[in-house]
Amino acid sequence: MNDERPTSRISGFFKMSQEERYRALIDAQILTEEDVEYLRPSGEIGFDTANHMIENAIGVLELPLGLGLNFLIDGKDYVVPMAVEEPSVIAAVSHIAKLARPSGGFKTEYSGSRMIGQIQVVGASDWDATSAAILENKARLLAVANEFEPGMVARGGGAKDIRVRLIEEGKYQSMLIVHLVIDTCDAMGANMINTMAEGVAQEIEKLTDGRILLRILSNLCDERVAVARCRIPFSELGWRGFSGEDVAKGIELASQFAEVDPYRATTHNKGIMNGISSVCIASGNDWRAVESGAHAFAARSGQYSPLAVWWVEDGHLVGEIEVPLAVGTVGGPIRFHPTVQLVHRILRVESAGELARVMAAVGLAQNMAALKALATEGIQRGHMSLHARSVAATAGALEDEIDDVVKHLLKCQDIKVDRARRILFELRNSQL
Ligand SMILES: CC(C)(COP(=O)([O-])OP(=O)([O-])OC[C@H]1O[C@@H](n2cnc3c(N)ncnc32)[C@H](O)[C@@H]1OP(=O)([O-])[O-])[C@@H](O)C(=O)NCCC(=O)NCCSC(=O)C[C@@](C)(O)CC(=O)[O-]
Ligand SMILES: NC(=O)C1=CN([C@@H]2O[C@H](COP(=O)(O)OP(=O)(O)OC[C@H]3O[C@@H](n4cnc5c(N)ncnc54)[C@H](OP(=O)(O)O)[C@@H]3O)[C@@H](O)[C@H]2O)C=CC1
């Protein structure tokens, strides 16, 4: 490959076959022949599946899939598949799930799968009249929306309510936002919500002298919320020379830090999403939707806040997470991705609500693991000792060399790939 940047203008790439794409990329000096051989999908997802899932496909990017263990949720055991690139996340949730088991594990709740489709009305001359007309026609509009998804109505879901919000921000023209509230049952629901929102919009337009602009779901799904709690006695919490009470009070103070400081709350919630997003990815769910919903929910009071909080009560540490989770057990890649289907067989959840409740418990466990480490010995020992394994592998250590490289990396506390390469070189030349 020469040093000149190859052009990114490749017309009609999306219409090319797999081989035509590889040839075009080699000709454009974007890929080499070796790159192409490396990229050729060889796993369960072949090129055709990838190409049906996304556009301009050239290959498949794999992520490690691991198991979060020890989870007892509402009296049932769950083995939780998690797809994630970050070391220590799965160890952390398994660690806390084990700790929580003797006191009953996690107790959860789910609000139901109600989502919002937004329809934006602009340019009306009389907002009161438009609002009144929409609300007076609610039953008919709901029936129209439901005509677009009869299967959902048969399942007990579909459009359930219509609300209106007049938004008047001085510097912009006023707009009326119609909220179409839809029960999506076991689906995430984006496609069906958008279908219903677009379908009913034409009828809404007839009720106003304004016009309809956007018709799209909201990812702030604050009516689709999962809650998980755990309550662990001090006697279970002693760790690495810290008493159970010290650990509990440290976690409580860490929680309070997040409650008053958005800088800390953001990192606190990042830890929670370590757990939740990993389950989302493994289970074929849209983690961008879940992430955006979670962060918007965290900011709903006007100040960005923690999704999970902890406090000390009667000799126990109590934790609670409340998080919106638009996740499904049907639809999207769940229909055709073989690994995702296997994940669902491992998870053994029977509904979107059950999946959301498991995810909430995983998020709470991940949060407690991080806070427990942060409020005691610090994050680095547990996290870095596991991170060191991936650093050693990146440096080229073979399976039977990794433990030795990790040992030396931890000893010198310089967990970097360059250092690992030097250690490996010295080990192979028997200088260590
Ligand atoms: C790493 C541990 C768990 C060690 O903790 P430990 O006490 O040394 O663990 P242990 O050896 O006593 O083992 C207890 C259980 O943990 C699990 N476990 C233990 N080790 C492993 C392992 N290697 N692989 C898989 N599972 C493991 C396993 O279930 C085990 O039970 P067992 O199987 O022995 O009956 C602990 O130090 C920990 O939880 N640390 C926190 C790690 C963490 O939070 N990582 C997330 C990434 S950091 C981040 O991005 C978020 C952050 C921190 O910024 C968020 C925030 O600021 O809030
Ligand atoms: N902003 C966002 O978040 C957006 C996200 N997306 C994407 O949309 C996808 C999710 O949309 P979604 O509508 O869930 O997916 P699908 O359209 O793939 O699946 C939903 C369909 O599954 C069928 N179904 C079968 N069994 C059930 C059941 N028990 N409960 C509910 N539905 C059932 C229903 O069709 P039937 O009644 O006909 O059987 C339903 O309409 C994700 O891939 C996401 O990435 C798309 C646009 C925007």
Side-chain angles (χ1 to χ4, degrees):
M1 232 176 249
N2 63 31
D3 288 341
E4 279 176 34
R5 294 187 67 79
T7 179
S8 66
R9 175 75 192 115
I10 310 177
S11 179
F13 190 77
F14 69 103
K15 294 180 194 152
M16 294 179 192
S17 69
Q18 180 181 11
E19 294 311 319
E20 286 168 343
R21 285 184 195 175
Y22 289 152
R23 180 45 49 202
L25 294 169
I26 291 168
D27 290 347
Q29 298 194 324
I30 291 168
L31 293 180
T32 63
E33 298 276 359
E34 294 74 42
D35 291 336
V36 164
E37 285 322 304
Y38 173 78
L39 266 177
R40 254 176 222 292
S42 59
E44 283 178 333
I45 298 225
F47 177 85
D48 288 344
T49 307
N51 200 39
H52 292 140
M53 288 176 79
I54 61 156
E55 306 74 42
N56 291 350
I58 60 165
V60 173
L61 174 74
E62 290 176 320
L63 269 182
L65 178 68
L67 295 179
L69 294 178
N70 311 323
F71 276 94
L72 186 62
I73 303 170
D74 300 319
K76 280 159 78 176
D77 263 283
Y78 289 90
V79 173
V80 186
M82 301 171 74
V84 63
E85 84 300 345
E86 188 177 353
S88 91
V89 169
I90 293 178
V93 298
S94 305
H95 170 56
I96 296 305
K98 180 183 174 188
L99 197 70
R101 278 183 85 87
S103 44
F106 302 90
K107 303 277 183 284
T108 66
E109 290 165 24
Y110 182 60
S111 63
S113 304
R114 285 160 87 99
M115 300 276 287
I116 291 167
Q118 294 193 295
I119 298 148
Q120 180 190 21
V121 188
V122 296
S125 57
D126 183 339
W127 290 117
D128 288 341
T130 297
S131 299
I134 292 168
L135 293 176
E136 278 159 21
N137 283 279
K138 188 190 276 194
R140 188 175 62 80
L141 292 172
L142 288 173
V144 170
N146 279 326
E147 279 169 18
F148 289 87
E149 292 286 347
M152 293 308 300
V153 180
R155 282 181 195 96
K160 298 288 182 188
D161 198 8
I162 287 181
R163 301 174 199 141
V164 290
R165 294 166 56 222
L166 180 61
I167 298 187
E168 293 182 296
E169 292 285 341
K171 59 181 177 171
Y172 301 123
Q173 60 167 288
S174 301
M175 59 185 89
L176 188 78
I177 308 302
V178 183
H179 278 194
L180 182 63
V181 181
I182 298 169
D183 183 342
T184 67
C185 298
D186 293 321
M188 183 270 187
N191 291 327
M192 78 174 74
I193 297 165
N194 295 342
T195 302
M196 290 169 120
E198 289 195 3
V200 79
Q202 295 152 16
E203 289 303 311
I204 292 176
E205 201 160 44
K206 292 179 191 160
L207 300 172
T208 172
D209 60 351
R211 67 191 174 94
I212 302 294
L213 206 55
L214 269 59
R215 294 138 296 162
I216 187 77
L217 84 153
S218 170
N219 286 109
L220 175 50
C221 44
D222 53 5
E223 296 178 49
R224 192 173 187 175
V225 174
V227 174
R229 296 185 191 90
C230 63
R231 193 167 191 275
I232 306 174
F234 290 169
S235 55
E236 301 286 340
L237 289 170
W239 198 51
R240 301 192 173 274
F242 293 85
S243 72
E245 185 170 359
D246 283 347
V247 170
K249 288 186 170 163
I251 292 175
E252 182 184 56
L253 278 173
S255 175
Q256 291 170 3
F257 180 7
E259 286 167 57
V260 295
D261 179 16
Y263 286 92
R264 174 57 208 152
T266 307
T267 324
H268 182 102
N269 288 345
K270 187 275 180 188
I272 291 169
M273 299 316 287
N274 274 342
I276 291 177
S277 292
S278 306
V279 187
C280 273
I281 295 171
S283 62
N285 275 290
D286 183 338
W287 71 96
R288 291 87 54 210
V290 168
E291 289 273 356
S292 64
H295 296 299
F297 189 74
R300 69 195 186 286
S301 72
Q303 167 162 322
Y304 188 84
S305 302
L307 293 163
V309 290
W310 298 87
W311 65 95
V312 166
E313 186 182 276
D314 301 333
H316 290 71
L317 173 70
V318 186
E320 181 176 289
I321 186 170
E322 190 184 3
V323 59
L325 285 166
V327 292
T329 49
V330 296
I334 302 160
R335 279 168 302 171
F336 51 80
H337 193 301
T339 313
V340 166
Q341 288 170 350
L342 176 59
V343 161
H344 281 265
R345 291 202 293 277
I346 297 172
L347 258 172
R348 293 170 192 247
V349 292
E350 280 166 14
S351 64
E354 190 178 0
L355 177 58
R357 292 188 288 103
V358 169
M359 286 184 183
V362 172
L364 189 64
Q366 171 65 85
N367 183 231
M368 179 173 161
L371 299 191
K372 182 180 174 214
L374 289 167
T376 55
E377 63 174 2
I379 197 74
Q380 292 300 66
R381 186 206 55 86
H383 177 68
M384 284 314 242
S385 59
L386 296 172
H387 176 57
R389 296 188 70 76
S390 82
V391 168
T394 309
L398 302 174
E399 199 48 45
D400 60 347
E401 296 171 318
I402 285 185
D403 283 347
D404 278 341
V405 176
V406 166
K407 194 173 79 192
H408 289 286
L409 280 171
L410 292 176
K411 201 163 143 198
C412 66
Q413 282 298 303
D414 181 24
I415 319 237
K416 303 268 167 59
V417 175
D418 278 352
R419 173 64 75 128
R421 282 205 188 97
R422 267 183 279 147
I423 291 171
L424 195 57
F425 177 82
E426 287 165 18
L427 278 171
R428 286 177 179 171
N429 291 287
S430 305
Q431 289 164 15
L432 278 175

